[in-house]
Amino acid sequence: MRLDKSSLEKAMKQAESYDQWADYAKLHDEVTGRDKWRRFEQSERYDFAAIRSRLNELRLLRERGDNHELLFALHEGIHGNLGGMGKPSMYGHAKFGTKNLIEDYIEELALALEHLASPAADDIDLNERIDFFHRASDCFGHAAFMMSGSGSLLFFHIGVVKCLLEQDLLPRVISGSSGGAIVSTLIGTRSREDALKLLNADELFALGDALPSINRDAGSRRLMPPEELDEYINAGIPDLTFEEAMKVSGREISLSIAPAEPRQSSRLLNAITTPNVYVREAAKASAALPGVYPPVVLAAKNVQGMRQPYLPGSRWVDGSLSQDLPAKRLTRLYGVNYFIVSQTNPVAMPFVNTDKGTGTLRSKLFDINLQGFKLASNAWFNLLERPLSLVSKQLYNMAKTANGVVQQNYTGDINIVPASRVLNPLSALSQPSLDRAEKLIREGELATWPLVERIRTTTRISRLLETIIADLEAERASLGRTRRKQVAASTKARLKAANG
């Protein structure tokens, strides 16, 4: 293969794995000279001097074994955007990674945290260290992965999830609406190993091979009929509550649902808000596109362990109509402040700004135009609200739903989107062939690979803090059990001695 820019870019598109893609990306940086940009610390894009100074301080204290001073230095703050190092523009120049200084700083910060969590720092009380890590985790925040509504385009989500799972980068907190809700429950009710076995077109089609609408060769011009979608979800999603699913997968899944009746408000279902609700019915509700699938009544496990209706007077439909990406609710419930989005909603795609945060003129103009469109939509609905409600309740509800769709935010900090930004909504309403599903999964992987190192770098500290806290809490619990046994044994010995 020729080592020139165009040949390497072609090779990257034809790569069969992330590791292969990464090798070509590194070669591309060498050929184009962008690897020099990575090695050269100075840049107007970020405060390299502050990051270098902080890196040197942490390294000195760690290597010197000055644990109390290291703890004090870390108490000054663990920032994900120190000196602007987390800005999107820092990840748009090179094909692979960012400035070496940023990656070195994250590595040193991780080493410092691991050092304080290890027996090498036992001169600091365990409870004090645990309190520090909890505060650091709360301040630093957590990442979440959100999947949009998608219909049959959910196979793109499958490719994204497959890549993130293989790289151990899929956040613990996951949300989904409509097709994204089905993918969320497929992975949120299984272990990582079992989920990876399922995330390919053959296995996913096998779940519905007995259904008439599943055609591996030609697909279908329409989505599954309601009764077949019900069977497919039953076959693919174990009959677990949100709380039970969390214990199986270790992941916090949240599903968006919208009310079928206008008097109700939208809901976000998860192990915190609805621990006893069954994820199957929740997924069916979130995927119930009005006019295509009937509204769903949720079900829950009661205190006797029996299934019963949950909010029996309420019916629920497609969650993407009200909260395609429930960022605000996830922030409130899980302390999330960093969002990775897989976006395939055909209605939203023309309005998705993947340049957001780069500071380019294109990005600024896009945001200005989008904001103007939202204001115009809201003003138009408010103008028509009274006459619509008087003339036709159905027309009023349609206009209210349409305005609600327009007013939503469809982007996160990192946005993973198909190569084609303009999608035919009808493509999401037709059952794909096996070949089409495989191509969508492949497209999801290809769209994710260029973002893997950015995700790895920007989420490393939050992922590490979660692991450290779990390990130290387990250690404290173990010490507590040991101490209680020792006290019990000592008490028993004293009583035996006292009784002669």
Side-chain angles (χ1 to χ4, degrees):
M1 184 185 70
R2 292 167 52 195
L3 294 181
D4 59 76
K5 180 180 176 181
S6 59
S7 297
L8 287 167
E9 288 175 353
K10 182 179 180 180
M12 289 163 66
K13 292 179 181 179
Q14 296 175 345
E16 297 181 359
S17 68
Y18 174 70
D19 289 340
Q20 191 178 85
W21 180 94
D23 288 339
Y24 290 136
K26 292 172 186 176
L27 284 173
H28 187 283
D29 287 342
E30 290 180 19
V31 168
T32 58
R34 294 176 183 179
D35 60 326
K36 296 178 182 177
W37 177 87
R38 293 188 64 203
R39 293 194 299 268
F40 191 65
E41 292 186 3
Q42 289 84 346
S43 173
E44 294 182 354
R45 299 187 184 193
Y46 74 128
D47 190 345
F48 59 89
I51 296 172
R52 167 54 65 186
S53 174
R54 182 73 167 163
L55 188 158
N56 291 340
E57 178 187 20
L58 295 178
R59 178 175 291 164
L60 176 64
L61 294 172
R62 178 180 60 82
E63 291 178 347
R64 204 165 63 190
D66 196 338
N67 298 328
H68 287 277
E69 283 299 317
L70 180 59
L71 182 63
F72 182 85
L74 290 172
H75 265 302
E76 293 176 345
I78 300 175
H79 304 288
N81 195 29
L82 175 66
M85 68 178 186
K87 293 190 298 185
S89 60
M90 297 306 301
Y91 293 88
H93 191 72
K95 292 292 184 183
F96 186 88
T98 183
K99 290 281 190 182
N100 288 351
L101 174 61
I102 293 175
E103 294 174 356
D104 291 344
Y105 170 71
I106 294 296
E107 175 66 20
E108 182 54 47
L109 180 56
L111 289 173
L113 293 171
E114 289 171 341
H115 175 81
L116 286 179
S118 72
D122 60 3
D123 54 330
I124 301 176
D125 181 70
L126 176 62
N127 291 324
E128 182 181 352
R129 285 187 286 156
I130 290 176
D131 288 344
F132 159 74
F133 284 114
H134 274 293
R135 286 196 301 274
S137 182
D138 290 340
C139 292
F140 193 90
H142 308 278
F145 177 65
M146 301 190 293
M147 286 174 281
S148 71
S150 58
S152 63
L153 297 175
L154 62 83
F155 288 99
F156 178 89
H157 293 326
I158 294 292
V160 176
V161 170
K162 180 173 180 286
C163 173
L164 295 179
L165 268 180
E166 288 174 344
Q167 296 298 315
D168 284 326
L169 294 176
L170 187 66
R172 177 178 55 86
V173 177
I174 301 171
S175 78
S177 62
S178 192
I182 293 177
V183 180
S184 293
T185 50
L186 286 174
I187 60 176
T189 54
R190 290 169 167 83
S191 67
R192 175 181 177 274
E193 293 72 22
D194 288 342
L196 280 171
K197 293 175 184 176
L198 181 66
L199 297 181
N200 64 80
D202 269 324
E203 290 294 329
L204 292 168
F205 268 65
L207 294 174
D209 268 344
L211 303 177
S213 64
I214 296 291
N215 187 327
R216 286 175 172 257
D217 297 323
S220 172
R221 292 184 178 180
R222 62 191 181 94
L223 284 175
M224 292 182 188
E227 64 278 5
E228 291 189 28
L229 177 63
D230 194 72
E231 288 185 42
Y232 186 85
I233 290 177
N234 289 344
I237 300 173
D239 200 22
L240 301 173
T241 66
F242 278 95
E243 186 174 54
E244 291 166 345
M246 180 188 66
K247 292 177 180 178
V248 170
S249 68
R251 302 191 188 279
E252 302 271 6
I253 57 173
S254 293
L255 307 186
S256 298
I257 58 174
E261 299 86 11
R263 68 179 182 274
Q264 296 288 343
S265 58
S266 62
R267 296 277 184 113
L268 187 66
L269 310 176
N270 51 50
I272 294 178
T273 61
T274 53
N276 298 317
V277 167
Y278 285 98
V279 296
R280 270 185 185 173
E281 280 75 13
K284 293 173 184 178
S286 191
L289 181 65
V292 179
Y293 297 116
V296 174
V297 176
L298 300 176
K301 179 181 286 189
N302 62 24
V303 292
Q304 287 81 33
M306 304 295 291
R307 179 186 294 270
Q308 70 176 48
Y310 182 81
L311 298 174
S314 300
R315 299 178 304 159
W316 306 92
V317 296
D318 194 331
S320 64
L321 298 178
S322 59
Q323 47 177 353
D324 199 39
L325 305 177
K328 290 183 179 179
R329 293 186 177 184
L330 292 178
T331 296
R332 185 174 69 250
L333 291 169
Y334 295 106
V336 170
N337 61 353
Y338 194 79
F339 297 95
I340 303 164
V341 172
S342 179
Q343 178 58 263
T344 59
N345 189 324
V347 176
M349 283 301 294
F351 307 103
V352 173
N353 180 13
T354 54
D355 293 329
K356 189 173 183 181
T358 61
T360 62
L361 178 60
R362 171 185 169 182
S363 175
K364 292 176 181 177
L365 288 175
F366 187 101
D367 285 340
I368 291 172
N369 291 334
L370 178 59
Q371 189 61 31
F373 182 74
K374 286 186 174 183
L375 290 172
S377 173
N378 200 46
W380 184 248
F381 174 72
N382 289 335
L383 181 66
L384 296 178
E385 182 174 11
R386 183 173 296 277
L388 278 174
S389 61
L390 291 175
V391 173
S392 168
K393 180 180 178 181
Q394 184 177 10
L395 188 61
Y396 169 76
N397 289 339
M398 289 174 61
K400 183 178 180 181
T401 298
N403 187 55
V405 169
V406 170
Q407 297 302 320
Q408 294 185 54
N409 180 23
Y410 291 97
T411 58
D413 295 282
I414 294 179
N415 302 291
I416 307 171
V417 299
S420 175
R421 295 291 303 281
V422 180
L423 301 175
N424 180 359
L426 295 179
S427 66
L429 296 176
S430 59
Q431 187 66 30
S433 65
L434 179 64
D435 181 65
R436 172 63 174 157
E438 289 174 340
K439 288 179 179 178
L440 283 169
I441 292 174
R442 166 76 174 173
E443 189 172 358
E445 290 181 287
L446 281 172
T448 310
W449 289 344
L451 297 167
V452 164
E453 295 310 312
R454 179 179 170 188
I455 294 171
R456 194 189 311 278
T457 300
T458 54
T459 65
R460 182 174 180 190
I461 299 306
S462 62
R463 289 183 287 113
L464 177 61
L465 286 169
E466 288 182 359
T467 300
I468 287 175
I469 289 171
D471 290 345
L472 290 182
E473 289 286 10
E475 180 183 345
R476 179 160 63 181
S478 177
L479 289 174
R481 288 192 295 271
T482 301
R483 177 59 180 162
R484 287 192 293 273
K485 289 180 180 179
Q486 291 173 341
V487 170
S490 176
T491 302
K492 185 177 180 179
R494 289 198 304 270
L495 289 174
K496 185 176 180 180
N499 293 328

